[in-house]
Amino acid sequence: MINDTRTILVVEDSDDGYLATARAFKKACLKNPVYRCTNGDQALDFLFQRGEYDGQSAPRPSMILLDLNLPGTDGREVLQIIKAEPKLLSIPVIVLTTSDAEDDINRCYEAGANSYVKKPVGIGGFVEAITRIKNFWLELVIIPKEP
Amino acid sequence: MSATQNNTPAAAVNRWINSKSLAGLFDGSGGYIFTLVLMCVALGFRFLLATEDEGLQYITFFPAVAIAAVRGGLKQGMVAVFIGMGFATYFFTAPYHSLTLESVFTSFWSNVVFLVDGIIVCYSIESMHRFRNQYAKELEESKRSEDRVKLINKELDEFAYIASHDLKEPLRGINNYASFLEEDYAHLIDEDGNQYIHAIKRLSLRTTTLIEKLLAYSRLGVSVIKEDLVDLDLIFDEVTRDMYGPHIQGITVKRNSPLGMTTGDPSCIAEVLQNLISNGLKYNDKPEKRIEIGCEASKNTPVYYVSDNGIGIPEKHIDNVFRIFKRLHEQTKFGGGSGAGLTIVKKIIERHGGRIWIESEPGAGTTFFFTLKPEQMND
């Protein structure tokens, strides 16, 4: 069940990090439309379709890849707000971060993260990780349609 | 660690005495009124006790003098003594209830003895006051400097944590771009150039490993160490199973005695055993590599040991093995390594209140001894 039309939201502050993610998407043959936010507040504006975003420029994503260390409102807080909002909480949030601190892992799952992935070092490992995320979250599992 | 307010009655009494004696030592009027009232109470007792000519006045006044001195030090004690002398002369010396030349002369020597006794007792009590105040001050000072050291250590740990975390991002970038360069442009660059790209990738990966170790180490300094009941034998079984499975050619890991139970952080303790055992096998050039582990429980604090028949550590390097990133061998020898393993081991053991030490004979092997809780004085 391949669905190339579902949108993915990537929340990643670093351009270098995003470049690597975009490249990994390409290598993983992931053709879905990808939107990117560079900080927590922008991600929340996108999800709530407010500020510079409206229903047109910010479609509801089918999956969110969330970095934890973001300028301003950081990923941990964004995650909490998403999971506290009935309209958003069914969107799978995959935390994708360099941190493997036990505290971060525990707190993310407690806040309702759908999975927690540590960014592997080296682009080979990273492409592999993105491929597996795609295989699981976009192909294997069934995600609810927009409520 | 934090100084919590103790609410037992004994502590409350202690606080009351502290506040009174410290406040009453040098300040005036309140103390004098208290002393006067105290002496009047003693005087009342004396009247109840016997008739004026019985001569029990000094004995009755003395406790009041002592209490005044305890509360207000030398000054208040001496005031009590003089009030007592006045009372004794006025009320209890013939011709009773009047102050005459005769009563002054009659009570003179008794008053002198009372005065000398009073001076000695009040001065002793005053000395104790001073001693206690000084002790309290020193205690406070040492606590303050201890707090400062703790704060500095905590800041250092936090600094290392933040620094290493923020260093990882750009390093990842360097490694990624080197990979992109290799993937996209390898055909445009000659062999030397490709070698350089390889070197960039290799070095950035190594730096990442170092930073991750530094991060793990600094996290140990700030994180909370659990105090679970831990079955060390179970941990040993798990560690050895994860590492080697039951039998591996040329390797023997033997438990000489049961390790027993202790309290601590199971995953941290597993890391200690894992590190010590793998070190013993890694720095080992014998065809039959042997690790022996055990516990000397004869003392109050159990001493654990992990001993190997490896290459040993020369005397002058014994202290160096615990220094972070200090390696005794080249990167290419004995399978490389970051040089953080034993530093992390030491930190974990110290966070448990224990210590680690080494006995080693170069060429014959090394034994690591460690404890997992503070050693008791009578060991």
Side-chain angles (χ1 to χ4, degrees):
Chain A
M1 186 172 105
I2 297 169
N3 197 332
D4 286 351
T5 61
R6 289 185 300 192
T7 54
I8 299 169
L9 174 64
V10 178
V11 189
E12 164 73 76
D13 62 316
S14 133
D15 288 340
D16 303 307
Y18 182 70
L19 197 134
T21 309
R23 201 180 155 100
F25 281 170
K26 218 164 100 189
K27 293 245 169 187
C29 304
L30 197 146
K31 298 185 184 72
N32 301 52
V34 177
Y35 291 80
R36 178 200 175 193
C37 294
T38 52
N39 63 57
D41 294 312
Q42 198 192 359
L44 290 173
D45 282 352
F46 182 97
L47 290 166
F48 286 99
Q49 300 177 339
R50 65 191 183 199
E52 56 177 301
Y53 295 103
D54 53 35
Q56 201 65 144
S57 62
R60 179 189 154 89
S62 300
M63 176 171 104
I64 301 169
L65 290 180
L66 180 66
D67 190 8
L68 286 186
N69 296 309
L70 299 170
T73 309
D74 84 349
R76 302 162 187 86
E77 216 177 319
V78 172
L79 174 66
Q80 270 166 358
I81 294 170
I82 293 172
K83 291 304 178 186
E85 169 59 44
K87 277 193 218 143
L88 299 175
L89 80 99
S90 64
I91 304 173
V93 178
I94 292 113
V95 175
L96 187 60
T97 176
T98 52
S99 161
D100 60 350
E102 216 171 298
D103 194 42
D104 278 336
I105 298 168
N106 292 341
R107 274 169 55 192
C108 284
Y109 279 110
E110 274 160 23
N114 297 78
S115 54
Y116 188 109
V117 179
K118 190 199 168 193
K119 281 185 193 169
V121 188
I123 191 71
F126 189 57
V127 171
E128 168 76 14
I130 291 291
T131 309
R132 287 162 82 171
I133 288 173
K134 175 199 146 204
N135 288 346
F136 186 77
W137 286 105
L138 293 177
E139 291 173 16
L140 179 68
V141 301
I142 298 169
I143 296 170
K145 294 241 159 50
E146 197 170 338
Chain B
M1 286 292 155
S2 71
T4 49
Q5 191 82 343
N6 195 337
N7 280 324
T8 59
V13 169
N14 226 333
R15 272 202 301 280
W16 182 80
I17 291 174
N18 271 339
S19 65
K20 297 299 173 206
S21 63
L22 288 175
L25 193 53
F26 297 111
D27 84 2
S29 55
Y32 291 114
I33 293 166
F34 177 82
T35 304
L36 189 63
V37 170
L38 206 60
M39 290 308 291
C40 289
V41 170
L43 182 64
F45 261 114
R46 172 62 190 80
F47 278 125
L48 287 175
L49 211 61
T51 54
E52 277 84 341
D53 58 350
E54 291 278 343
L56 294 168
Q57 51 275 13
Y58 294 114
I59 299 173
T60 322
F61 293 159
F62 220 80
V65 169
I67 292 172
V70 165
R71 190 178 181 277
L74 180 65
K75 227 164 153 189
Q76 295 295 333
M78 289 320 293
V79 168
V81 167
F82 284 114
I83 294 172
M85 282 160 61
F87 284 172
T89 308
Y90 185 86
F91 294 108
F92 304 106
T93 311
Y96 308 112
H97 294 275
S98 62
L99 189 66
T100 62
L101 217 56
E102 187 199 349
S103 63
V104 171
F105 277 125
T106 312
S107 65
F108 180 75
W109 286 111
S110 317
N111 273 342
V112 167
V113 172
F114 182 61
L115 180 66
V116 170
D117 286 353
I119 290 172
I120 293 169
V121 167
C122 292
Y123 191 79
S124 308
I125 292 173
E126 166 87 8
S127 307
M128 284 194 273
H129 269 304
R130 286 189 197 286
F131 177 74
R132 198 182 57 179
N133 287 345
Q134 195 188 339
Y135 178 72
K137 213 156 92 192
E138 273 168 19
L139 205 70
E140 198 184 321
E141 253 164 41
S142 80
K143 209 186 136 2
R144 209 178 305 139
S145 63
E146 199 180 298
D147 284 350
R148 233 186 62 226
V149 169
K150 262 190 212 148
L151 190 76
I152 290 171
N153 271 332
K154 197 168 176 309
E155 275 175 358
L156 227 110
D157 282 332
E158 275 168 5
F159 171 78
Y161 181 81
I162 293 165
S164 43
H165 199 273
D166 288 351
L167 284 172
K168 270 193 340 185
E169 278 299 331
L171 257 178
R172 177 183 297 274
I174 293 172
N175 187 280
N176 283 347
Y177 284 117
S179 302
F180 301 161
L181 206 58
E182 191 180 31
E183 283 173 15
D184 298 351
Y185 301 102
H187 60 284
L188 298 177
I189 306 169
D190 66 7
E191 201 179 320
D192 278 356
N194 275 306
Q195 291 259 322
Y196 298 157
I197 293 174
H198 259 295
I200 294 172
K201 280 173 66 180
R202 179 171 50 82
L203 290 174
S204 63
L205 278 179
R206 198 169 115 207
T207 314
T208 306
T209 315
L210 291 181
I211 287 175
E212 292 208 319
K213 293 288 176 188
L214 192 64
L215 197 60
Y217 176 74
S218 62
R219 209 179 283 151
L220 265 179
V222 281
S223 66
V224 179
I225 295 286
K226 286 193 219 157
E227 288 180 34
D228 297 350
L229 192 63
V230 179
D231 185 342
L232 290 173
D233 293 295
L234 204 70
I235 289 188
F236 171 77
D237 291 341
E238 278 169 9
V239 165
T240 45
R241 192 177 53 224
D242 288 350
M243 283 167 83
Y244 312 106
H247 296 291
I248 291 277
Q249 202 67 31
I251 290 179
T252 316
V253 180
K254 186 169 164 260
R255 176 169 30 190
N256 287 340
S257 57
L259 304 175
M261 310 287 289
T262 187
T263 46
D265 194 306
S267 59
C268 285
I269 293 173
E271 200 172 341
V272 168
L273 292 184
Q274 200 254 332
N275 260 308
L276 291 180
I277 293 170
S278 64
N279 262 345
L281 297 173
K282 195 164 147 192
Y283 298 99
N284 199 320
D285 49 4
K286 310 283 189 305
E288 282 290 325
K289 304 183 202 312
R290 271 186 78 80
I291 302 283
E292 292 182 26
I293 184 166
C295 169
E296 290 166 2
S298 58
K299 294 172 178 168
N300 281 340
T301 312
V303 175
Y304 310 96
Y305 64 86
V306 176
S307 120
D308 62 59
N309 63 342
I311 56 172
I313 306 163
E315 178 77 41
K316 65 169 186 164
H317 287 313
I318 290 250
D319 289 331
N320 282 336
V321 298
F322 292 118
R323 274 173 50 199
I324 195 159
F325 302 146
K326 172 72 190 176
R327 290 181 44 80
L328 299 185
H329 308 280
E330 301 85 324
Q331 269 295 335
T332 46
K333 268 192 184 166
F334 298 110
S338 65
L342 285 177
T343 317
I344 287 174
V345 163
K346 186 166 187 248
K347 184 89 167 180
I348 291 173
I349 286 169
E350 284 172 353
R351 287 294 317 263
H352 280 80
R355 65 187 180 97
I356 181 165
W357 66 99
I358 298 173
E359 279 172 20
S360 184
E361 197 184 315
T366 307
T367 304
F368 286 89
F369 295 93
F370 63 97
T371 57
L372 283 170
K373 53 180 146 189
E375 278 157 280
Q376 282 164 14
M377 292 304 267
N378 54 350
D379 271 9

